[in-house]
Amino acid sequence: MSIENYEKFLQVVDEDLKKIFDYQKEYLCCSEGCAHCCKRGDFPMSELEFKYLMLGFDKLSDELKTKIKANIEITKAGNKDSYVCPFLIEDKCSVYSNRPIVCRAFGVLTEDSKGNPSYPFCTTLGLNFAKIFDKEKQHLSSELVAKNGYKIFPKIFRLSNKVFMSLPLAKKLNLNFGDAKKMVDFL
Ligand code: SF4
Ligand code: SF4
């Protein structure tokens, strides 16, 4: 397995994700500098993804590395289930090109293992899918889809690291992802 093969894989993943973002675009308001999605989570990833993330870290300036190392110490001392990503610097991802797959899919509507819609947590902050989120019932509402003039309920995709890692392309490229765990457990 080579990093080149993983980069080929990521290219296809990014192309597929772009189509998904396009399908859901009328419900999305992601923009540069909006980083709530990097400030709360456990950011699960595989060993391969972490290795690639650290290749991005290696390319950073000493100043950024020092800031990230300090963030890492804070992360390791805090709540391991939900934390601010230590690679987030001034509300920007310092390792954007090397970010793991979970981050590439931030913000889209997905399906949980039981087949229910799973909305990004920023929905509750008034961001993605907020216009069709029924606050009282705490779920996405078909009624609000119609009321807000949307034509269709957003198309939902099953996206998880497991789904990506089982893509036939991963096998074809001989990728070995290794064990998956929370970002903090790799740091
Ligand atoms: S790696 Fe980058 S995109 Fe992913 S959570 Fe951290 S800062 Fe955000
Ligand atoms: S997913 Fe939500 S928090 Fe993240 S950039 Fe998009 S709108 Fe902002």
Side-chain angles (χ1 to χ4, degrees):
M1 199 285 301
S2 66
I3 285 300
E4 287 75 22
N5 278 7
Y6 180 55
E7 286 178 334
K8 278 184 201 162
F9 178 77
L10 280 181
Q11 204 177 341
V12 174
V13 166
D14 282 344
E15 282 163 15
D16 286 351
L17 282 171
K18 186 178 177 318
K19 287 181 204 149
I20 292 172
F21 277 97
D22 279 348
Y23 275 125
Q24 299 183 353
K25 67 181 174 193
E26 58 184 339
Y27 296 97
L28 307 180
C29 58
C30 296
S31 61
E32 203 179 322
C34 180
H36 298 288
C37 43
C38 305
K39 291 180 182 171
R40 200 183 84 166
D42 60 359
F43 316 111
M45 67 187 78
S46 62
E47 274 173 45
L48 175 58
E49 288 169 89
F50 181 69
K51 189 176 162 193
Y52 192 62
L53 178 74
M54 292 312 287
L55 288 179
F57 172 82
D58 290 343
K59 289 183 214 149
L60 299 176
S61 67
D62 288 345
E63 191 190 353
L64 274 177
K65 281 181 183 163
T66 304
K67 285 183 181 172
I68 292 166
K69 282 180 189 165
N71 288 347
I72 287 174
E73 290 315 309
I74 295 168
T75 305
K76 282 160 71 174
N79 177 349
K80 304 275 196 304
D81 293 323
S82 184
Y83 43 87
V84 178
C85 175
F87 297 92
L88 185 71
I89 302 291
E90 292 172 8
D91 281 350
K92 280 194 187 155
C93 177
S94 59
V95 286
Y96 190 76
S97 308
N98 294 62
R99 69 200 187 290
I101 293 170
V102 68
C103 309
R104 291 169 196 262
F106 276 159
V108 292
L109 183 64
T110 59
E111 190 180 80
D112 66 18
S113 54
K114 291 180 183 151
N116 299 316
S118 172
Y119 50 87
F121 89 91
C122 68
T123 299
T124 58
L125 303 178
L127 296 169
N128 292 359
F129 304 98
K131 285 188 179 163
I132 59 165
F133 184 66
D134 185 326
K135 284 184 190 156
E136 246 172 60
K137 294 180 185 156
Q138 289 288 300
H139 64 61
L140 299 175
S141 149
S142 304
E143 282 164 28
L144 288 175
V145 168
K147 197 174 163 190
N148 281 287
Y150 295 117
K151 289 189 189 71
I152 49 161
F153 196 83
K155 194 170 160 72
I156 303 175
F157 297 84
R158 178 163 288 190
L159 296 178
S160 68
N161 284 22
K162 213 171 162 184
V163 168
F164 284 114
M165 286 176 211
S166 343
L167 289 175
L169 179 65
K171 199 169 177 190
K172 193 174 161 195
L173 292 169
N174 198 25
L175 297 182
N176 178 9
F177 285 97
D179 290 338
K181 48 191 179 184
K182 298 169 190 173
M183 178 195 278
V184 68
D185 292 332
F186 282 112
L187 298 172

